[in-house]
Amino acid sequence: MVYLLSILVLGGLLAGLAVLLSVAESYLLDYGICTIDINSGERPIQVEGGQTLLSSLYSNQIFIPSACGGKGSCGHCKITVTSGGGPVLPTERPYLSRLEVRSNVRLACQVKVRQDIYVRIPEEFLNIKLFSATVESARELTYDIKEIRLRLKEPAEISYLPGQYVQVEAPSPDGPVFRAYSISSASAEPSVVELVVRLVPGGIASTYLHNLSVGDEVTFTGPYGEFRLSEDPSVELVCVGGGCGMAPIRNIIYSLYEKWPERSCWFFFGVRTRSDIFYLEQFKQLQRQFPDFQVVYALSEAHGDKQWDGETGFIHLAVDKYLEPGPRRQAFLCGPPLMIKAVTTVLREKGVDPEDIFYDEF
Ligand code: FES
């Protein structure tokens, strides 16, 4: 007990010291104006030294992916720092592979700009924009999930690929936070972005989004994300989701049939009970319209629910039951890590190439 207390006290002291040092640094040390050289002179910018690379870039309208708001806990903000970034910090190590460390990949939220710094930023990040929008509708899909439809104001249109996401800015007592939400729109309207948001108890961004009313203003950056739908018409698409994993999948499936009505696609969606079901009727309608589209919902906690005549059990069991080994497939999975792991195992048994399995864990 004494040992545990000492560890807690020591941990608290160290954390406090780190905060103090950081505050002291920002007040006492003046690094002056530093240059961030982006892609070998393509777009140099001047910034006040002492800030993180992530926030320095953000204030110059360069938006690097970040799902944790710069806290160093998501590992999304990776960019290459070729010079001037100092040594790799212990806070970065858990998110960087050995190869990434050797290739000068860093977490932009952990690197401080203390001198001129040279970075390489992928072109798609440089195309990410800041958008303002108004809430056009907000409707409940289940007891804890809402669909929020945003009409863009400035810029008035967004160009994105199926499966991409945006980062919504939400106010908090400690300043704005940014959280990633997949674009869930079912049609390719460039002036609209729809989100599917589950209310997380105590969650800053989900509480903010759930409390929005029609006409409220929302700010977000985007689009982000690397998933690319195969353009090969012979490739069958398999989408597997759970809960809010619906969001990117809805956008991917509707985009697929808008462009390729003949494409073959399976959609497996796992929820706990009937009260967690949403969009099922929409997908059944899509199935009637496009015979090569198949939708399967499964309840993991049906508990003898007499009104449910569909699949029961975890969703990977339904994937195993319905999917025959067959054509080349591209799979997109979105849901909790255990679901992704179980479904990946099944897909590999069915002969899906690991390189064709994409996933988004949450
Ligand atoms: S922004 Fe999340 S780890 Fe850097």
Side-chain angles (χ1 to χ4, degrees):
M1 187 64 184
V2 174
Y3 181 63
L4 186 66
L5 259 177
S6 322
I7 290 180
L8 285 174
V9 170
L10 191 62
L13 280 174
L14 286 175
L17 196 60
V19 172
L20 268 178
L21 282 174
S22 169
V23 172
E25 184 187 9
S26 59
Y27 282 103
L28 301 178
L29 295 179
D30 180 6
Y31 296 104
I33 299 297
C34 304
T35 299
I36 304 180
D37 181 287
I38 299 168
N39 298 348
S40 306
E42 186 185 293
R43 197 167 156 182
I45 54 174
Q46 310 274 300
V47 300
E48 190 78 48
Q51 305 300 314
T52 67
L53 189 49
L54 184 74
S55 59
S56 302
L57 291 170
Y58 185 88
S59 46
N60 282 276
Q61 304 271 303
I62 296 172
F63 306 108
I64 307 298
S66 147
C68 70
K71 289 197 174 71
S73 60
C74 72
H76 286 198
C77 61
K78 292 177 184 175
I79 60 171
T80 305
V81 179
T82 49
S83 167
V88 176
L89 301 172
T91 47
E92 298 175 78
R93 295 264 173 203
Y95 300 96
L96 301 175
S97 66
R98 272 196 217 150
L99 180 63
E100 284 175 325
V101 172
R102 277 205 299 275
S103 311
N104 300 315
V105 174
R106 303 289 303 271
L107 293 188
C109 71
Q110 300 300 298
V111 175
K112 285 266 179 87
V113 181
R114 296 187 170 107
Q115 56 186 313
D116 290 350
I117 189 165
Y118 296 79
V119 301
R120 282 205 302 272
I121 300 179
E123 210 49 47
E124 63 260 31
F125 290 179
L126 297 176
N127 291 330
I128 293 167
K129 294 184 187 139
L130 177 69
F131 291 85
S132 65
T134 49
V135 177
E136 190 167 271
S137 67
R139 68 180 181 114
E140 285 179 5
L141 298 174
T142 70
Y143 58 93
D144 66 347
I145 296 182
K146 264 191 170 180
E147 176 197 87
I148 296 166
R149 183 177 164 88
L150 302 172
R151 170 116 357 225
L152 304 192
K153 281 171 64 183
E154 186 57 45
E157 294 195 344
I158 184 170
S159 163
Y160 62 90
L161 294 169
Q164 286 198 298
Y165 66 93
V166 295
Q167 290 192 175
V168 177
E169 180 179 333
S172 88
D174 302 325
V177 299
F178 294 85
R179 292 292 182 270
Y181 288 94
S182 293
I183 298 171
S184 66
S185 311
S187 64
E189 282 178 81
S191 57
V192 166
V193 163
E194 283 182 10
L195 309 176
V196 166
V197 182
R198 179 193 291 283
L199 182 62
V200 179
I204 294 170
S206 69
T207 305
Y208 160 72
L209 286 166
H210 267 244
N211 287 333
L212 287 173
S213 304
V214 172
D216 285 348
E217 288 223 5
V218 176
T219 302
F220 65 84
T221 59
Y224 302 88
E226 288 159 11
F227 176 70
R228 299 285 179 272
L229 252 180
S230 170
E231 302 261 324
D232 181 346
S234 68
V235 173
E236 186 175 270
L237 183 65
V238 180
C239 294
V240 188
C244 277
M246 166 66 80
I249 290 174
R250 180 174 184 242
N251 180 246
I252 288 169
I253 291 174
Y254 278 88
S255 305
L256 183 86
Y257 284 106
E258 249 173 31
K259 194 163 177 195
W260 295 288
E262 311 295 326
R263 289 283 292 266
S264 177
C265 171
W266 281 91
F267 174 34
F268 298 93
F269 190 59
V271 291
R272 285 211 297 263
T273 66
R274 224 160 18 89
S275 60
D276 296 302
I277 289 177
F278 58 103
Y279 290 150
L280 177 56
E281 276 317 307
Q282 274 194 16
F283 283 111
K284 281 187 174 168
Q285 170 60 28
L286 197 71
Q287 186 169 276
R288 287 191 281 275
Q289 216 178 328
F290 301 100
D292 288 321
F293 172 61
Q294 303 291 331
V295 58
V296 179
Y297 275 46
L299 304 189
S300 61
E301 294 174 15
H303 300 313
D305 182 341
K306 299 246 177 346
Q307 293 184 54
W308 177 248
D309 59 358
E311 294 300 317
T312 55
F314 288 118
I315 196 63
H316 68 280
L317 301 173
V319 178
D320 191 31
K321 176 175 168 184
Y322 284 92
L323 226 51
E324 302 284 343
R328 186 175 153 213
R329 293 183 167 118
Q330 184 184 34
F332 183 85
L333 325 178
C334 193
L338 279 178
M339 182 209 91
I340 305 255
K341 196 162 177 265
V343 174
T344 300
T345 305
V346 172
L347 290 174
R348 292 189 63 174
E349 282 165 12
K350 304 279 178 186
V352 182
D353 189 324
E355 299 222 327
D356 288 328
I357 302 175
F358 300 81
Y359 61 86
D360 206 350
E361 278 181 7
F362 60 83

